[in-house]
Short mmCIF file of all heavy atoms in Angstrom, two decimals:
data_model
loop_
_atom_site.label_atom_id
_atom_site.label_comp_id
_atom_site.label_asym_id
_atom_site.label_seq_id
_atom_site.Cartn_x
_atom_site.Cartn_y
_atom_site.Cartn_z
N ASP M 149 -196.53 21.86 -32.24
CA ASP M 149 -196.27 22.42 -33.55
C ASP M 149 -194.73 22.39 -33.83
O ASP M 149 -193.95 22.98 -33.03
CB ASP M 149 -196.81 23.80 -33.59
CG ASP M 149 -196.78 24.42 -34.95
OD1 ASP M 149 -196.08 23.84 -35.84
OD2 ASP M 149 -197.35 25.49 -35.15
N ASP M 151 -193.12 23.95 -35.98
CA ASP M 151 -192.55 25.30 -36.26
C ASP M 151 -192.29 25.99 -34.92
O ASP M 151 -191.34 26.82 -34.87
CB ASP M 151 -193.61 26.12 -37.04
CG ASP M 151 -193.55 25.75 -38.52
OD1 ASP M 151 -192.50 25.34 -38.97
OD2 ASP M 151 -194.59 25.95 -39.21
N GLU M 152 -193.04 25.75 -33.88
CA GLU M 152 -192.76 26.35 -32.58
C GLU M 152 -191.38 25.89 -32.07
O GLU M 152 -190.62 26.67 -31.56
CB GLU M 152 -193.83 26.01 -31.55
CG GLU M 152 -195.09 26.82 -31.73
CD GLU M 152 -196.20 26.45 -30.77
OE1 GLU M 152 -195.86 25.77 -29.74
OE2 GLU M 152 -197.31 26.90 -30.93
N ARG M 154 -188.95 24.79 -34.02
CA ARG M 154 -187.91 25.39 -34.84
C ARG M 154 -187.60 26.81 -34.43
O ARG M 154 -186.47 27.22 -34.38
CB ARG M 154 -188.35 25.35 -36.31
CG ARG M 154 -187.28 25.39 -37.30
CD ARG M 154 -187.76 25.08 -38.68
NE ARG M 154 -188.32 23.75 -38.80
CZ ARG M 154 -189.38 23.49 -39.48
NH1 ARG M 154 -190.01 24.41 -40.15
NH2 ARG M 154 -189.82 22.23 -39.55
N LEU M 155 -188.69 27.55 -34.10
CA LEU M 155 -188.50 28.94 -33.68
C LEU M 155 -187.59 29.06 -32.45
O LEU M 155 -186.69 29.81 -32.31
CB LEU M 155 -189.88 29.59 -33.42
CG LEU M 155 -189.77 31.03 -32.90
CD1 LEU M 155 -189.59 32.01 -34.02
CD2 LEU M 155 -190.93 31.41 -32.03
N ARG M 157 -185.57 26.81 -31.39
CA ARG M 157 -184.19 26.38 -31.73
C ARG M 157 -183.43 27.52 -32.35
O ARG M 157 -182.25 27.78 -32.09
CB ARG M 157 -184.18 25.14 -32.63
CG ARG M 157 -184.32 23.85 -31.89
CD ARG M 157 -184.23 22.70 -32.86
NE ARG M 157 -182.94 22.75 -33.65
CZ ARG M 157 -182.86 22.35 -34.86
NH1 ARG M 157 -183.89 21.81 -35.51
NH2 ARG M 157 -181.67 22.30 -35.47
N SER M 158 -184.12 28.22 -33.20
CA SER M 158 -183.44 29.40 -33.85
C SER M 158 -183.07 30.47 -32.85
O SER M 158 -182.12 31.23 -33.05
CB SER M 158 -184.31 29.99 -34.94
OG SER M 158 -185.23 30.91 -34.38
N MET M 159 -183.75 30.49 -31.70
CA MET M 159 -183.38 31.43 -30.62
C MET M 159 -182.29 30.80 -29.74
O MET M 159 -182.04 31.37 -28.67
CB MET M 159 -184.62 31.78 -29.81
CG MET M 159 -185.61 32.62 -30.52
SD MET M 159 -187.02 33.00 -29.47
CE MET M 159 -187.96 34.07 -30.55
N GLN M 165 -185.09 23.65 -22.38
CA GLN M 165 -185.94 24.81 -22.51
C GLN M 165 -187.09 24.58 -23.45
O GLN M 165 -188.26 25.09 -23.17
CB GLN M 165 -185.08 25.98 -23.01
CG GLN M 165 -184.16 26.56 -21.96
CD GLN M 165 -183.15 27.56 -22.53
OE1 GLN M 165 -182.63 27.38 -23.71
NE2 GLN M 165 -182.86 28.57 -21.80
N HIS M 169 -190.81 25.24 -22.00
CA HIS M 169 -191.57 26.33 -22.57
C HIS M 169 -192.62 25.90 -23.57
O HIS M 169 -193.59 26.62 -23.79
CB HIS M 169 -190.62 27.34 -23.26
CG HIS M 169 -189.83 28.18 -22.30
ND1 HIS M 169 -190.36 29.18 -21.61
CD2 HIS M 169 -188.53 28.09 -21.92
CE1 HIS M 169 -189.49 29.74 -20.85
NE2 HIS M 169 -188.33 29.08 -20.96
N ALA M 174 -197.98 22.57 -23.57
CA ALA M 174 -198.80 22.12 -24.67
C ALA M 174 -199.51 20.76 -24.26
O ALA M 174 -200.60 20.47 -24.77
CB ALA M 174 -197.98 21.88 -25.93
N PRO M 249 -204.42 28.95 -17.31
CA PRO M 249 -205.15 30.24 -17.35
C PRO M 249 -205.55 30.64 -18.72
O PRO M 249 -206.51 31.37 -18.94
CB PRO M 249 -204.28 31.24 -16.67
CG PRO M 249 -202.88 30.69 -16.78
CD PRO M 249 -203.06 29.17 -16.73
N LEU E 52 -180.23 26.41 -38.73
CA LEU E 52 -181.05 25.25 -38.35
C LEU E 52 -180.78 24.08 -39.33
O LEU E 52 -181.16 22.98 -39.11
CB LEU E 52 -182.51 25.59 -38.38
CG LEU E 52 -182.98 26.65 -37.41
CD1 LEU E 52 -184.44 26.93 -37.58
CD2 LEU E 52 -182.78 26.17 -35.97
N PRO E 71 -177.28 28.07 -34.53
CA PRO E 71 -178.56 28.82 -34.28
C PRO E 71 -178.35 29.81 -33.15
O PRO E 71 -177.49 29.63 -32.34
CB PRO E 71 -179.57 27.70 -33.92
CG PRO E 71 -178.76 26.51 -33.61
CD PRO E 71 -177.44 26.59 -34.18
N GLY E 72 -179.24 30.77 -33.11
CA GLY E 72 -179.20 31.70 -31.97
C GLY E 72 -178.47 33.00 -32.28
O GLY E 72 -178.18 33.80 -31.39
N LYS E 80 -196.61 32.20 -39.84
CA LYS E 80 -197.38 32.04 -38.65
C LYS E 80 -196.74 32.83 -37.53
O LYS E 80 -195.49 32.85 -37.47
CB LYS E 80 -197.35 30.53 -38.22
CG LYS E 80 -198.14 29.65 -39.07
CD LYS E 80 -198.35 28.31 -38.51
CE LYS E 80 -197.17 27.39 -38.91
NZ LYS E 80 -197.33 26.02 -38.28
N PRO E 85 -199.46 29.92 -27.35
CA PRO E 85 -200.78 30.20 -26.77
C PRO E 85 -200.88 30.12 -25.29
O PRO E 85 -201.83 30.64 -24.70
CB PRO E 85 -201.71 29.14 -27.48
CG PRO E 85 -200.73 28.04 -27.88
CD PRO E 85 -199.44 28.76 -28.20
N TYR E 86 -199.94 29.42 -24.68
CA TYR E 86 -200.02 29.27 -23.23
C TYR E 86 -199.28 30.31 -22.48
O TYR E 86 -198.98 30.23 -21.27
CB TYR E 86 -199.54 27.87 -22.77
CG TYR E 86 -198.85 27.09 -23.90
CD1 TYR E 86 -197.53 27.27 -24.23
CD2 TYR E 86 -199.66 26.20 -24.67
CE1 TYR E 86 -196.98 26.53 -25.28
CE2 TYR E 86 -199.05 25.50 -25.65
CZ TYR E 86 -197.75 25.70 -26.04
OH TYR E 86 -197.21 25.02 -27.01
N LYS E 87 -198.82 31.39 -23.18
CA LYS E 87 -198.09 32.43 -22.50
C LYS E 87 -198.81 33.76 -22.82
O LYS E 87 -199.36 33.92 -23.92
CB LYS E 87 -196.61 32.52 -22.93
CG LYS E 87 -195.81 31.38 -22.49
CD LYS E 87 -194.31 31.54 -22.98
CE LYS E 87 -193.44 30.38 -22.65
NZ LYS E 87 -193.19 30.31 -21.19
N LEU E 95 -189.80 35.88 -23.90
CA LEU E 95 -189.27 34.53 -24.08
C LEU E 95 -187.75 34.49 -24.53
O LEU E 95 -187.00 33.74 -23.99
CB LEU E 95 -190.14 33.75 -25.01
CG LEU E 95 -189.80 32.30 -25.31
CD1 LEU E 95 -189.85 31.50 -24.05
CD2 LEU E 95 -190.68 31.69 -26.40
N LEU E 99 -184.69 32.61 -22.69
CA LEU E 99 -183.88 31.50 -23.33
C LEU E 99 -182.42 31.82 -23.21
O LEU E 99 -181.58 30.97 -23.16
CB LEU E 99 -184.30 31.29 -24.76
CG LEU E 99 -185.74 30.78 -24.95
CD1 LEU E 99 -186.02 30.68 -26.40
CD2 LEU E 99 -185.90 29.43 -24.28
N TYR E 127 -203.89 36.86 -23.56
CA TYR E 127 -203.34 35.65 -24.26
C TYR E 127 -203.47 35.90 -25.80
O TYR E 127 -204.43 36.58 -26.20
CB TYR E 127 -204.02 34.43 -23.78
CG TYR E 127 -203.56 34.04 -22.40
CD1 TYR E 127 -204.23 34.42 -21.30
CD2 TYR E 127 -202.42 33.30 -22.26
CE1 TYR E 127 -203.83 34.09 -20.01
CE2 TYR E 127 -201.96 32.94 -21.01
CZ TYR E 127 -202.67 33.31 -19.87
OH TYR E 127 -202.18 33.05 -18.63
N ARG E 143 -191.12 40.42 -30.38
CA ARG E 143 -190.35 39.28 -29.78
C ARG E 143 -189.10 39.03 -30.56
O ARG E 143 -188.05 38.81 -30.03
CB ARG E 143 -191.29 38.08 -29.71
CG ARG E 143 -190.56 36.86 -29.13
CD ARG E 143 -191.46 35.64 -29.13
NE ARG E 143 -191.91 35.25 -30.48
CZ ARG E 143 -192.70 34.24 -30.64
NH1 ARG E 143 -193.18 33.51 -29.70
NH2 ARG E 143 -193.06 33.91 -31.88
N PHE E 147 -185.12 39.38 -29.34
CA PHE E 147 -184.15 38.28 -29.44
C PHE E 147 -182.80 38.81 -29.89
O PHE E 147 -181.76 38.64 -29.27
CB PHE E 147 -184.61 37.23 -30.34
CG PHE E 147 -183.59 36.17 -30.63
CD1 PHE E 147 -183.08 35.41 -29.59
CD2 PHE E 147 -183.02 36.03 -31.88
CE1 PHE E 147 -182.06 34.51 -29.80
CE2 PHE E 147 -182.02 35.17 -32.11
CZ PHE E 147 -181.53 34.36 -31.06
#
Side-chain angles (χ1 to χ4, degrees):
Chain M
D149 188 346
D151 281 334
E152 283 180 10
R154 202 169 299 139
L155 177 84
R157 275 185 57 213
S158 84
M159 291 180 176
Q165 287 171 323
H169 286 287
Chain E
L52 299 175
K80 288 193 272 180
Y86 8 83
K87 289 181 185 289
L95 181 65
L99 293 178
Y127 285 94
R143 177 180 63 181
F147 169 64

